[in-house]
Amino acid sequence: MQALSWDPTLAKKYDLHGPRYTSYPTALELRSDFPSAPVKQALLTSDAPLSAYLHVPFCHQLCYYCGCNKIVTRHQHKADRYLDALAAEFDMYSPLLSHRGIQHLHLGGGTPTFLNAGQLTRLMFLLRQHLGFVPQADSEVSIEIDPRSCDLDKLTLLRELGFNRVSFGVQDFNHIVQQAINRVQPLSMVQELVEHARALQFESINLDLVYGLPLQTAQNFEHTLTTLLNLRPDRVSLFSYAHLPNRFAAQRKIATHDLLAGPAKQQLLLRAIERLSQAGYQSIGMDHFALPTDNLAKSQRQGNMQRNFQGYTTHGSDCLIGFGVTAISQVNGVIWQHQKDLPAYYAAVDAQQLAVDRGFQLSRDDQIRAAAISQLICHFELDLVAFGNAWQIAAHDDLRDAFEALEPFIADGLVVVTPTRIQVTEQGQLWVRLICACFDAYQRNSGQFSKVI
Ligand SMILES: C[S@@+](CC[C@H](N)C(=O)[O-])C[C@H]1O[C@@H](n2cnc3c(N)ncnc32)[C@H](O)[C@@H]1O
Ligand code: SF4
Protein backbone atom coordinates (compact mmCIF):
# COMPACT_ATOMS: atom_id res chain seq x y z
CA MET A 1 0.00 0.00 0.00
CA GLN A 2 1.49 3.35 -1.02
CA ALA A 3 0.62 6.85 0.20
CA LEU A 4 -3.13 7.23 0.01
CA SER A 5 -5.02 10.23 -1.20
CA TRP A 6 -7.31 11.36 1.56
CA ASP A 7 -10.97 12.11 1.08
CA PRO A 8 -12.25 14.01 4.15
CA THR A 9 -15.88 13.30 3.23
CA LEU A 10 -15.29 9.54 3.24
CA ALA A 11 -13.17 9.81 6.37
CA LYS A 12 -16.09 11.44 8.17
CA LYS A 13 -18.68 9.08 6.73
CA TYR A 14 -16.76 5.95 7.76
CA ASP A 15 -15.52 7.14 11.15
CA LEU A 16 -17.43 4.20 12.65
CA HIS A 17 -17.12 1.25 15.02
CA GLY A 18 -16.78 -2.37 13.91
CA PRO A 19 -15.51 -5.83 14.90
CA ARG A 20 -11.89 -6.83 14.31
CA TYR A 21 -13.04 -10.23 13.03
CA THR A 22 -10.46 -12.40 14.72
CA SER A 23 -13.34 -14.84 14.50
CA TYR A 24 -16.73 -15.00 12.85
CA PRO A 25 -19.14 -14.94 14.56
CA THR A 26 -17.42 -12.54 16.95
CA ALA A 27 -16.83 -13.55 20.57
CA LEU A 28 -19.93 -11.50 21.57
CA GLU A 29 -22.09 -14.20 19.99
CA LEU A 30 -20.78 -16.99 22.22
CA ARG A 31 -23.64 -18.44 24.27
CA SER A 32 -23.47 -19.08 28.00
CA ASP A 33 -24.17 -22.56 29.37
CA PHE A 34 -22.56 -24.11 26.32
CA PRO A 35 -22.18 -27.87 26.98
CA SER A 36 -18.77 -29.51 26.82
CA ALA A 37 -20.03 -32.44 24.67
CA PRO A 38 -19.66 -30.61 21.30
CA VAL A 39 -16.24 -29.41 22.42
CA LYS A 40 -15.07 -32.95 23.12
CA GLN A 41 -16.62 -34.18 19.90
CA ALA A 42 -14.86 -31.45 17.88
CA LEU A 43 -11.53 -32.28 19.50
CA LEU A 44 -11.87 -36.01 18.95
CA THR A 45 -12.81 -35.65 15.29
CA SER A 46 -10.14 -33.06 14.39
CA ASP A 47 -6.89 -34.19 12.85
CA ALA A 48 -5.66 -30.73 11.82
CA PRO A 49 -2.21 -29.57 12.97
CA LEU A 50 -2.46 -28.40 16.56
CA SER A 51 -2.08 -24.68 17.30
CA ALA A 52 -2.08 -23.73 20.94
CA TYR A 53 -2.67 -20.35 22.54
CA LEU A 54 -1.76 -19.99 26.17
CA HIS A 55 -3.01 -17.02 28.15
CA VAL A 56 -0.91 -15.68 31.02
CA PRO A 57 -3.15 -13.08 32.63
CA PHE A 58 -0.73 -11.43 35.06
CA CYS A 59 0.94 -8.01 34.70
CA HIS A 60 3.09 -6.14 37.21
CA GLN A 61 1.59 -2.74 36.50
CA LEU A 62 -1.56 -1.35 34.93
CA CYS A 63 -1.28 0.47 31.60
CA TYR A 64 -4.20 2.88 31.46
CA TYR A 65 -4.99 2.29 27.79
CA CYS A 66 -5.08 -1.49 28.08
CA GLY A 67 -7.98 -3.46 26.62
CA CYS A 68 -6.55 -6.92 27.29
CA ASN A 69 -7.72 -9.58 29.74
CA LYS A 70 -5.25 -9.07 32.56
CA ILE A 71 -4.81 -9.25 36.32
CA VAL A 72 -2.44 -6.73 37.86
CA THR A 73 -0.51 -8.13 40.81
CA ARG A 74 2.88 -7.94 42.48
CA HIS A 75 2.56 -11.48 43.88
CA GLN A 76 4.80 -13.71 41.79
CA HIS A 77 3.59 -16.87 43.56
CA LYS A 78 0.13 -16.42 41.98
CA ALA A 79 1.69 -17.73 38.79
CA ASP A 80 2.65 -21.01 40.54
CA ARG A 81 -1.00 -21.67 41.35
CA TYR A 82 -1.86 -20.79 37.76
CA LEU A 83 0.71 -23.24 36.38
CA ASP A 84 -0.80 -25.97 38.58
CA ALA A 85 -4.18 -25.31 36.92
CA LEU A 86 -2.62 -25.31 33.45
CA ALA A 87 -0.97 -28.65 34.19
CA ALA A 88 -4.38 -30.09 35.11
CA GLU A 89 -5.87 -28.60 31.97
CA PHE A 90 -3.16 -30.03 29.68
CA ASP A 91 -3.77 -33.39 31.30
CA MET A 92 -7.51 -33.22 30.48
CA TYR A 93 -6.94 -32.17 26.87
CA SER A 94 -4.13 -34.62 26.19
CA PRO A 95 -6.24 -37.77 25.52
CA LEU A 96 -8.62 -35.73 23.34
CA LEU A 97 -5.80 -34.64 21.04
CA SER A 98 -4.48 -38.08 20.09
CA HIS A 99 -0.97 -37.01 21.08
CA ARG A 100 -0.21 -35.34 17.79
CA GLY A 101 1.98 -32.60 19.25
CA ILE A 102 1.85 -28.83 19.08
CA GLN A 103 2.87 -27.28 15.79
CA HIS A 104 2.31 -23.64 16.73
CA LEU A 105 2.36 -22.17 20.19
CA HIS A 106 1.65 -18.58 21.12
CA LEU A 107 1.99 -17.22 24.64
CA GLY A 108 -0.10 -14.10 25.11
CA GLY A 109 -1.61 -12.10 27.89
CA GLY A 110 -1.55 -10.15 30.10
CA THR A 111 2.18 -10.57 30.16
CA PRO A 112 3.75 -13.99 29.60
CA THR A 113 7.12 -12.61 30.76
CA PHE A 114 5.51 -11.92 34.15
CA LEU A 115 6.62 -15.53 34.70
CA ASN A 116 10.12 -15.78 36.14
CA ALA A 117 12.82 -18.09 34.77
CA GLY A 118 11.74 -21.05 36.90
CA GLN A 119 8.07 -20.62 36.00
CA LEU A 120 8.77 -20.30 32.28
CA THR A 121 10.93 -23.42 32.39
CA ARG A 122 8.22 -25.32 34.25
CA LEU A 123 5.56 -24.20 31.80
CA MET A 124 7.51 -25.46 28.78
CA PHE A 125 8.30 -28.70 30.62
CA LEU A 126 4.58 -29.22 31.32
CA LEU A 127 3.67 -28.60 27.68
CA ARG A 128 6.28 -31.08 26.48
CA GLN A 129 5.26 -33.63 29.09
CA HIS A 130 1.50 -33.52 28.46
CA LEU A 131 1.09 -32.47 24.83
CA GLY A 132 4.50 -32.58 23.14
CA PHE A 133 5.66 -30.65 20.09
CA VAL A 134 6.19 -31.61 16.45
CA PRO A 135 9.88 -31.64 15.40
CA GLN A 136 11.50 -28.26 15.97
CA ALA A 137 12.08 -27.42 12.31
CA ASP A 138 8.31 -27.35 11.71
CA SER A 139 7.21 -25.55 14.84
CA GLU A 140 6.46 -21.91 15.42
CA VAL A 141 6.77 -20.85 19.04
CA SER A 142 6.06 -17.22 19.83
CA ILE A 143 5.67 -15.01 22.88
CA GLU A 144 4.46 -11.49 23.71
CA ILE A 145 7.02 -9.60 25.76
CA ASP A 146 6.62 -6.51 27.87
CA PRO A 147 10.18 -5.09 27.68
CA ARG A 148 9.90 -3.93 31.30
CA SER A 149 9.52 -7.52 32.46
CA CYS A 150 12.24 -9.16 30.37
CA ASP A 151 15.98 -8.75 30.74
CA LEU A 152 18.60 -10.16 28.38
CA ASP A 153 18.98 -13.34 30.45
CA LYS A 154 15.25 -14.06 30.26
CA LEU A 155 15.34 -13.54 26.50
CA THR A 156 18.26 -16.00 26.23
CA LEU A 157 16.29 -18.49 28.31
CA LEU A 158 13.26 -18.12 26.03
CA ARG A 159 15.41 -18.98 23.02
CA GLU A 160 16.81 -22.01 24.85
CA LEU A 161 13.29 -23.11 25.74
CA GLY A 162 12.41 -23.25 22.04
CA PHE A 163 10.81 -19.87 21.32
CA ASN A 164 11.63 -18.69 17.81
CA ARG A 165 9.45 -15.55 17.48
CA VAL A 166 9.09 -12.58 19.79
CA SER A 167 6.74 -9.64 19.94
CA PHE A 168 7.64 -6.61 22.08
CA GLY A 169 4.98 -4.22 23.34
CA VAL A 170 6.19 -0.68 22.68
CA GLN A 171 3.07 1.41 21.95
CA ASP A 172 4.90 4.76 21.63
CA PHE A 173 8.48 6.03 22.07
CA ASN A 174 7.61 9.48 23.46
CA HIS A 175 8.07 9.97 27.18
CA ILE A 176 5.00 12.19 27.61
CA VAL A 177 2.76 9.65 25.91
CA GLN A 178 4.30 6.84 27.96
CA GLN A 179 3.58 8.84 31.12
CA ALA A 180 0.00 9.47 30.06
CA ILE A 181 -0.59 5.72 29.64
CA ASN A 182 1.35 4.79 32.81
CA ARG A 183 3.90 2.77 30.90
CA VAL A 184 7.32 4.33 30.93
CA GLN A 185 9.97 2.31 29.12
CA PRO A 186 13.13 3.96 27.78
CA LEU A 187 14.21 3.39 24.22
CA SER A 188 17.48 1.80 25.43
CA MET A 189 15.45 -1.01 27.02
CA VAL A 190 13.70 -1.89 23.76
CA GLN A 191 16.82 -1.37 21.68
CA GLU A 192 18.95 -3.76 23.76
CA LEU A 193 16.27 -6.43 23.64
CA VAL A 194 15.81 -6.13 19.89
CA GLU A 195 19.57 -6.34 19.31
CA HIS A 196 19.88 -9.31 21.65
CA ALA A 197 16.93 -11.06 19.99
CA ARG A 198 18.71 -10.63 16.68
CA ALA A 199 21.95 -12.02 18.06
CA LEU A 200 19.98 -15.01 19.39
CA GLN A 201 18.60 -15.54 15.88
CA PHE A 202 14.93 -15.33 16.68
CA GLU A 203 13.26 -15.86 13.31
CA SER A 204 10.92 -12.92 13.61
CA ILE A 205 10.84 -9.82 15.82
CA ASN A 206 7.61 -7.84 16.05
CA LEU A 207 7.00 -4.48 17.71
CA ASP A 208 3.50 -3.36 18.77
CA LEU A 209 2.59 0.30 18.35
CA VAL A 210 -0.73 1.97 19.05
CA TYR A 211 -1.96 5.13 17.32
CA GLY A 212 -4.51 7.45 18.89
CA LEU A 213 -3.01 7.27 22.41
CA PRO A 214 -3.34 10.25 24.75
CA LEU A 215 -1.01 13.18 23.99
CA GLN A 216 0.05 11.68 20.68
CA THR A 217 0.33 14.37 18.00
CA ALA A 218 1.23 14.31 14.34
CA GLN A 219 4.68 15.67 15.33
CA ASN A 220 5.57 13.34 18.16
CA PHE A 221 4.17 10.31 16.31
CA GLU A 222 6.71 11.10 13.59
CA HIS A 223 9.42 10.59 16.22
CA THR A 224 7.91 7.22 17.19
CA LEU A 225 7.88 6.14 13.54
CA THR A 226 11.48 7.23 12.96
CA THR A 227 12.64 5.39 16.07
CA LEU A 228 10.70 2.29 15.06
CA LEU A 229 12.18 2.29 11.57
CA ASN A 230 15.71 2.64 12.96
CA LEU A 231 15.12 -0.55 14.94
CA ARG A 232 13.89 -2.26 11.75
CA PRO A 233 11.79 -5.06 13.25
CA ASP A 234 10.63 -7.83 10.90
CA ARG A 235 7.02 -7.05 11.70
CA VAL A 236 5.05 -4.12 13.03
CA SER A 237 1.59 -4.31 14.55
CA LEU A 238 -0.01 -0.89 14.48
CA PHE A 239 -3.25 -0.96 16.44
CA SER A 240 -5.87 1.73 16.53
CA TYR A 241 -6.33 2.74 20.16
CA ALA A 242 -9.60 1.13 21.25
CA HIS A 243 -11.05 3.55 23.77
CA LEU A 244 -13.90 1.78 25.54
CA PRO A 245 -13.95 3.32 29.04
CA ASN A 246 -17.27 1.65 29.83
CA ARG A 247 -15.58 -1.73 29.49
CA PHE A 248 -12.08 -0.96 30.77
CA ALA A 249 -12.17 1.11 33.97
CA ALA A 250 -8.52 2.21 33.79
CA GLN A 251 -9.23 3.99 30.50
CA ARG A 252 -11.34 6.47 32.48
CA LYS A 253 -8.02 7.88 33.71
CA ILE A 254 -7.42 9.03 30.15
CA ALA A 255 -8.87 12.46 29.43
CA THR A 256 -10.91 12.50 26.24
CA HIS A 257 -9.47 15.92 25.34
CA ASP A 258 -5.98 14.34 25.23
CA LEU A 259 -7.08 12.01 22.42
CA LEU A 260 -6.91 12.78 18.73
CA ALA A 261 -10.19 11.86 17.08
CA GLY A 262 -11.68 11.52 13.61
CA PRO A 263 -9.51 12.85 10.78
CA ALA A 264 -6.58 13.83 13.06
CA LYS A 265 -6.32 10.25 14.34
CA GLN A 266 -6.77 8.84 10.84
CA GLN A 267 -3.86 10.99 9.65
CA LEU A 268 -1.56 9.13 12.07
CA LEU A 269 -2.45 5.87 10.37
CA LEU A 270 -1.96 7.32 6.91
CA ARG A 271 1.43 8.72 7.84
CA ALA A 272 2.47 5.36 9.33
CA ILE A 273 1.40 3.55 6.16
CA GLU A 274 3.36 6.04 4.08
CA ARG A 275 6.55 5.79 6.13
CA LEU A 276 6.42 2.03 6.54
CA SER A 277 5.87 1.43 2.84
CA GLN A 278 8.67 3.88 1.94
CA ALA A 279 10.92 1.85 4.26
CA GLY A 280 10.10 -1.35 2.37
CA TYR A 281 7.43 -2.85 4.61
CA GLN A 282 4.57 -4.77 3.05
CA SER A 283 1.09 -4.00 4.35
CA ILE A 284 -0.35 -7.20 5.80
CA GLY A 285 -4.11 -7.20 5.98
CA MET A 286 -5.32 -4.74 8.58
CA ASP A 287 -3.01 -3.12 11.19
CA HIS A 288 0.06 -5.17 10.30
CA PHE A 289 3.24 -4.64 8.29
CA ALA A 290 6.16 -6.95 7.56
CA LEU A 291 9.45 -6.90 5.70
CA PRO A 292 9.10 -8.91 2.48
CA THR A 293 11.54 -11.50 3.89
CA ASP A 294 9.31 -12.27 6.87
CA ASN A 295 7.23 -15.46 6.75
CA LEU A 296 3.98 -13.58 7.24
CA ALA A 297 4.68 -11.40 4.20
CA LYS A 298 5.60 -14.49 2.19
CA SER A 299 2.47 -16.23 3.36
CA GLN A 300 0.32 -13.28 2.32
CA ARG A 301 1.95 -13.18 -1.12
CA GLN A 302 1.31 -16.92 -1.51
CA GLY A 303 -2.34 -16.36 -0.59
CA ASN A 304 -2.39 -18.69 2.41
CA MET A 305 -2.26 -16.22 5.30
CA GLN A 306 -5.12 -16.66 7.78
CA ARG A 307 -6.63 -14.82 10.71
CA ASN A 308 -7.47 -16.19 14.12
CA PHE A 309 -7.81 -15.03 17.71
CA GLN A 310 -4.16 -13.98 17.80
CA GLY A 311 -4.45 -11.91 14.63
CA TYR A 312 -2.79 -12.79 11.32
CA THR A 313 -0.93 -16.07 11.08
CA THR A 314 1.00 -18.09 8.55
CA HIS A 315 -0.88 -21.23 9.45
CA GLY A 316 -4.56 -21.80 9.05
CA SER A 317 -5.30 -24.53 11.49
CA ASP A 318 -8.83 -25.59 12.19
CA CYS A 319 -7.59 -26.80 15.56
CA LEU A 320 -6.67 -23.82 17.69
CA ILE A 321 -6.84 -24.58 21.37
CA GLY A 322 -6.68 -21.87 24.01
CA PHE A 323 -5.39 -22.75 27.46
CA GLY A 324 -5.87 -20.71 30.60
CA VAL A 325 -8.35 -18.19 31.90
CA THR A 326 -10.44 -16.37 29.21
CA ALA A 327 -8.71 -18.29 26.41
CA ILE A 328 -10.72 -18.90 23.25
CA SER A 329 -10.53 -22.04 21.09
CA GLN A 330 -11.81 -22.87 17.65
CA VAL A 331 -11.91 -26.47 16.44
CA ASN A 332 -13.93 -27.98 13.62
CA GLY A 333 -16.61 -25.28 13.58
CA VAL A 334 -16.95 -25.02 17.37
CA ILE A 335 -15.78 -21.94 19.27
CA TRP A 336 -15.54 -21.85 23.04
CA GLN A 337 -14.16 -19.57 25.70
CA HIS A 338 -12.91 -20.36 29.16
CA GLN A 339 -14.14 -18.65 32.31
CA LYS A 340 -13.16 -15.00 32.43
CA ASP A 341 -12.41 -14.78 36.11
CA LEU A 342 -9.71 -16.71 37.85
CA PRO A 343 -11.71 -18.26 40.76
CA ALA A 344 -14.33 -19.67 38.35
CA TYR A 345 -11.58 -21.00 36.06
CA TYR A 346 -9.78 -22.63 38.99
CA ALA A 347 -13.05 -24.12 40.28
CA ALA A 348 -13.75 -25.77 36.91
CA VAL A 349 -10.25 -27.14 36.48
CA ASP A 350 -10.06 -28.35 40.11
CA ALA A 351 -13.30 -30.25 39.47
CA GLN A 352 -11.58 -31.96 36.53
CA GLN A 353 -13.85 -30.24 34.01
CA LEU A 354 -12.99 -28.48 30.78
CA ALA A 355 -13.33 -24.81 31.76
CA VAL A 356 -15.92 -24.07 29.04
CA ASP A 357 -17.87 -20.95 29.97
CA ARG A 358 -19.42 -19.92 26.66
CA GLY A 359 -19.47 -21.37 23.18
CA PHE A 360 -20.94 -21.50 19.71
CA GLN A 361 -21.41 -24.13 17.05
CA LEU A 362 -21.13 -22.65 13.57
CA SER A 363 -23.90 -23.47 11.12
CA ARG A 364 -23.06 -24.00 7.46
CA ASP A 365 -24.18 -20.41 6.77
CA ASP A 366 -21.83 -19.15 9.52
CA GLN A 367 -18.96 -21.12 8.00
CA ILE A 368 -19.60 -19.69 4.54
CA ARG A 369 -19.69 -16.13 5.87
CA ALA A 370 -16.63 -16.77 8.04
CA ALA A 371 -14.70 -17.94 4.96
CA ALA A 372 -15.68 -14.83 2.98
CA ILE A 373 -14.74 -12.49 5.85
CA SER A 374 -11.43 -14.25 6.42
CA GLN A 375 -10.51 -14.00 2.74
CA LEU A 376 -11.38 -10.30 2.57
CA ILE A 377 -9.62 -9.31 5.79
CA CYS A 378 -6.47 -11.26 4.86
CA HIS A 379 -6.24 -10.70 1.12
CA PHE A 380 -8.65 -7.85 0.33
CA GLU A 381 -10.25 -9.88 -2.45
CA LEU A 382 -12.61 -12.76 -2.89
CA ASP A 383 -12.58 -14.95 -5.99
CA LEU A 384 -16.30 -15.65 -6.27
CA VAL A 385 -15.85 -18.57 -8.66
CA ALA A 386 -13.42 -20.47 -6.42
CA PHE A 387 -15.47 -19.53 -3.36
CA GLY A 388 -18.72 -20.66 -4.97
CA ASN A 389 -17.15 -23.96 -6.03
CA ALA A 390 -15.63 -24.57 -2.61
CA TRP A 391 -18.97 -24.09 -0.85
CA GLN A 392 -21.24 -25.24 -3.67
CA ILE A 393 -23.16 -21.96 -3.68
CA ALA A 394 -24.06 -19.19 -6.10
CA ALA A 395 -22.54 -16.39 -4.05
CA HIS A 396 -24.53 -13.51 -5.59
CA ASP A 397 -27.81 -15.29 -4.79
CA ASP A 398 -27.01 -17.07 -1.56
CA LEU A 399 -25.34 -14.02 0.02
CA ARG A 400 -27.68 -11.45 -1.51
CA ASP A 401 -27.88 -9.46 1.76
CA ALA A 402 -24.09 -9.04 1.77
CA PHE A 403 -23.98 -7.80 -1.83
CA GLU A 404 -26.76 -5.31 -1.06
CA ALA A 405 -24.87 -4.08 2.01
CA LEU A 406 -21.76 -3.59 -0.15
CA GLU A 407 -23.52 -1.12 -2.44
CA PRO A 408 -22.60 2.11 -0.58
CA PHE A 409 -18.97 0.97 -0.44
CA ILE A 410 -19.07 0.30 -4.19
CA ALA A 411 -20.55 3.74 -4.80
CA ASP A 412 -17.74 5.32 -2.75
CA GLY A 413 -15.03 3.45 -4.65
CA LEU A 414 -13.98 1.33 -1.67
CA VAL A 415 -14.98 -1.98 -3.24
CA VAL A 416 -15.26 -3.21 -6.83
CA VAL A 417 -17.64 -6.10 -7.46
CA THR A 418 -17.75 -8.02 -10.74
CA PRO A 419 -19.61 -11.29 -11.48
CA THR A 420 -16.42 -13.18 -10.57
CA ARG A 421 -14.65 -11.12 -7.92
CA ILE A 422 -14.93 -8.79 -4.95
CA GLN A 423 -11.93 -6.49 -4.75
CA VAL A 424 -11.31 -4.06 -1.88
CA THR A 425 -9.57 -0.98 -3.30
CA GLU A 426 -6.47 0.54 -1.66
CA GLN A 427 -8.63 3.24 -0.08
CA GLY A 428 -11.15 0.60 0.99
CA GLN A 429 -8.46 -1.36 2.83
CA LEU A 430 -8.57 1.24 5.60
CA TRP A 431 -12.19 0.30 6.28
CA VAL A 432 -12.00 -3.41 5.59
CA ARG A 433 -13.65 -4.14 8.95
CA LEU A 434 -16.79 -2.33 7.78
CA ILE A 435 -16.66 -4.09 4.42
CA CYS A 436 -16.41 -7.47 6.19
CA ALA A 437 -19.37 -6.49 8.36
CA CYS A 438 -21.54 -6.64 5.19
CA PHE A 439 -21.21 -10.44 5.45
CA ASP A 440 -22.03 -10.49 9.16
CA ALA A 441 -25.49 -11.96 9.73
CA TYR A 442 -25.49 -10.96 13.41
CA GLN A 443 -24.93 -7.20 12.96
CA ARG A 444 -24.72 -6.16 16.59
CA ASN A 445 -25.00 -2.64 17.86
CA SER A 446 -21.61 -1.57 16.52
CA GLY A 447 -20.97 0.71 19.55
CA GLN A 448 -19.89 -2.47 21.35
CA PHE A 449 -16.81 -2.55 19.15
CA SER A 450 -13.88 -0.18 18.86
CA LYS A 451 -13.49 2.55 16.25
CA VAL A 452 -12.32 1.14 12.92
CA ILE A 453 -9.57 3.80 12.68
C1 LIG B 1 -1.15 -8.38 25.75
S1 LIG B 1 -0.41 -6.90 25.19
C2 LIG B 1 1.26 -7.34 24.76
C3 LIG B 1 2.15 -7.94 25.83
C4 LIG B 1 2.44 -7.13 27.04
N1 LIG B 1 1.36 -7.22 27.96
C5 LIG B 1 2.77 -5.71 26.74
O1 LIG B 1 1.92 -4.88 27.00
O2 LIG B 1 3.87 -5.46 26.28
C6 LIG B 1 -1.08 -6.88 23.55
C7 LIG B 1 -1.03 -5.60 22.76
O3 LIG B 1 -2.34 -5.13 22.60
C8 LIG B 1 -2.31 -3.76 22.28
N2 LIG B 1 -3.37 -3.08 23.03
C9 LIG B 1 -3.66 -3.21 24.33
N3 LIG B 1 -4.70 -2.43 24.66
C10 LIG B 1 -5.09 -1.80 23.53
C11 LIG B 1 -6.11 -0.87 23.21
N4 LIG B 1 -6.96 -0.41 24.14
N5 LIG B 1 -6.23 -0.46 21.93
C12 LIG B 1 -5.39 -0.92 20.97
N6 LIG B 1 -4.40 -1.79 21.22
C13 LIG B 1 -4.24 -2.22 22.48
C14 LIG B 1 -0.92 -3.24 22.65
O4 LIG B 1 -0.23 -2.90 21.48
C15 LIG B 1 -0.29 -4.43 23.33
O5 LIG B 1 1.09 -4.50 23.07
S1 SF4 C 1 -0.73 -3.46 27.88
FE1 SF4 C 1 0.27 -5.36 28.43
S2 SF4 C 1 1.45 -4.87 30.31
FE2 SF4 C 1 0.00 -3.23 30.02
S3 SF4 C 1 -1.73 -3.83 31.32
FE3 SF4 C 1 -2.16 -4.51 29.20
S4 SF4 C 1 -1.49 -6.59 29.11
FE4 SF4 C 1 -0.55 -5.67 30.93
Side-chain angles (χ1 to χ4, degrees):
M1 193 190 266
Q2 297 303 316
L4 289 168
S5 59
W6 190 238
D7 182 335
T9 317
L10 289 186
K12 199 162 172 213
K13 179 171 174 185
Y14 293 113
D15 186 20
L16 301 171
H17 299 249
R20 300 174 50 78
Y21 291 115
T22 53
S23 71
Y24 177 80
T26 70
L28 289 180
E29 300 308 326
L30 303 188
R31 314 254 157 90
S32 52
D33 298 323
F34 192 74
S36 57
V39 168
K40 289 185 180 158
Q41 179 66 18
L43 289 166
L44 287 168
T45 50
S46 162
D47 56 4
L50 174 55
S51 289
Y53 169 74
L54 199 145
H55 191 77
V56 179
F58 307 109
C59 299
H60 286 117
Q61 202 182 323
L62 179 66
C63 310
Y64 294 158
Y65 68 95
C66 180
C68 304
N69 285 311
K70 77 278 177 192
I71 297 167
V72 178
T73 177
R74 300 227 150 253
H75 299 298
Q76 193 68 36
H77 65 86
K78 288 199 175 173
D80 293 321
R81 167 72 175 102
Y82 192 67
L83 292 183
D84 293 342
L86 285 174
E89 197 170 58
F90 299 156
D91 203 34
M92 278 186 275
Y93 273 94
S94 168
L96 300 168
L97 295 172
S98 56
H99 309 285
R100 59 186 186 275
I102 298 170
Q103 184 156 28
H104 310 108
L105 171 69
H106 182 77
L107 258 60
T111 302
T113 43
F114 176 95
L115 303 182
N116 61 27
Q119 290 164 338
L120 282 165
T121 307
R122 180 178 171 215
L123 173 60
M124 293 310 280
F125 171 79
L126 290 170
L127 278 166
R128 283 181 210 288
Q129 184 189 33
H130 293 277
L131 302 170
F133 284 84
V134 301
Q136 213 170 3
D138 297 326
S139 69
E140 208 177 280
V141 185
S142 57
I143 181 166
E144 292 170 15
I145 296 180
D146 175 350
R148 299 167 303 163
S149 66
C150 187
D151 58 17
L152 301 187
D153 286 345
K154 198 181 268 189
L155 195 58
T156 306
L157 173 70
L158 290 171
R159 191 73 181 106
E160 286 164 4
L161 290 173
F163 288 87
N164 51 25
R165 278 143 213 278
V166 277
S167 173
F168 297 106
V170 172
Q171 328 312 348
D172 191 287
F173 284 109
N174 294 290
H175 187 69
I176 60 160
V177 177
Q178 293 187 357
Q179 275 179 320
I181 58 174
N182 197 36
R183 184 193 173 105
V184 174
Q185 52 182 50
L187 166 61
S188 58
M189 191 185 256
V190 180
Q191 199 163 16
E192 277 178 14
L193 284 167
V194 169
E195 281 164 11
H196 194 54
R198 245 179 224 131
L200 292 168
Q201 300 189 329
F202 277 92
E203 287 163 30
S204 178
I205 301 172
N206 176 80
L207 298 188
D208 283 351
L209 288 188
V210 178
Y211 67 94
L213 288 174
L215 300 185
Q216 266 179 353
T217 62
Q219 291 73 26
N220 68 27
F221 193 60
E222 209 66 46
H223 165 70
T224 288
L225 292 173
T226 303
T227 313
L228 171 93
L229 293 174
N230 286 338
L231 292 172
R232 206 155 175 82
D234 303 285
R235 293 183 195 172
V236 177
S237 305
L238 176 65
F239 300 113
S240 165
Y241 171 46
H243 188 59
L244 299 164
N246 291 336
R247 265 175 62 194
F248 305 109
Q251 293 187 350
R252 291 175 214 150
K253 291 179 187 284
I254 293 176
T256 315
H257 60 76
D258 283 342
L259 298 173
L260 293 181
K265 182 181 176 191
Q266 294 164 358
Q267 288 296 340
L268 300 182
L269 173 63
L270 288 195
R271 185 63 183 143
I273 292 173
E274 190 172 29
R275 297 229 22 215
L276 283 158
S277 46
Q278 279 165 0
Y281 284 83
Q282 188 177 318
S283 171
I284 303 287
M286 184 185 71
D287 306 335
H288 288 71
F289 302 83
L291 290 174
T293 44
D294 188 86
N295 273 350
L296 198 60
K298 288 185 194 159
S299 168
Q300 191 203 34
R301 289 199 300 275
Q302 288 157 4
N304 49 25
M305 189 178 79
Q306 307 260 340
R307 189 161 169 83
N308 65 23
F309 295 106
Q310 283 104 64
Y312 291 107
T313 116
T314 52
H315 45 272
S317 169
D318 196 27
C319 188
L320 171 67
I321 303 191
F323 295 101
V325 66
T326 79
I328 304 186
S329 307
Q330 177 150 17
V331 181
N332 253 351
V334 181
I335 303 179
W336 68 96
Q337 181 167 30
H338 287 168
Q339 272 80 6
K340 281 189 177 167
D341 74 290
L342 212 45
Y345 167 73
Y346 285 155
V349 175
D350 290 349
Q352 293 282 303
Q353 286 164 7
L354 296 183
V356 178
D357 181 42
R358 303 183 308 143
F360 195 93
Q361 179 126 34
L362 275 76
S363 66
R364 183 176 143 77
D365 182 64
D366 294 328
Q367 293 185 16
I368 292 170
R369 288 169 189 270
I373 288 173
S374 167
Q375 192 61 27
L376 287 170
I377 210 159
C378 289
H379 301 289
F380 299 122
E381 63 180 359
L382 181 63
D383 176 338
L384 292 170
V385 179
F387 180 68
N389 287 341
W391 290 98
Q392 290 296 297
I393 56 168
H396 283 278
D397 295 331
D398 293 317
L399 294 170
R400 189 184 304 271
D401 59 314
F403 285 92
E404 281 169 12
L406 282 172
E407 276 165 19
F409 296 95
I410 299 170
D412 287 330
L414 303 183
V415 181
V416 176
V417 178
T418 69
T420 57
R421 181 169 296 271
I422 298 176
Q423 180 76 49
V424 180
T425 64
E426 285 219 333
Q427 190 88 58
Q429 292 179 19
L430 295 174
W431 291 290
V432 68
R433 284 158 72 169
L434 300 176
I435 292 165
C436 289
C438 297
F439 289 82
D440 190 334
Y442 297 90
Q443 290 291 351
R444 286 234 169 202
N445 167 9
S446 63
Q448 291 162 298
F449 303 102
S450 58
K451 274 275 180 76
V452 168
I453 296 181

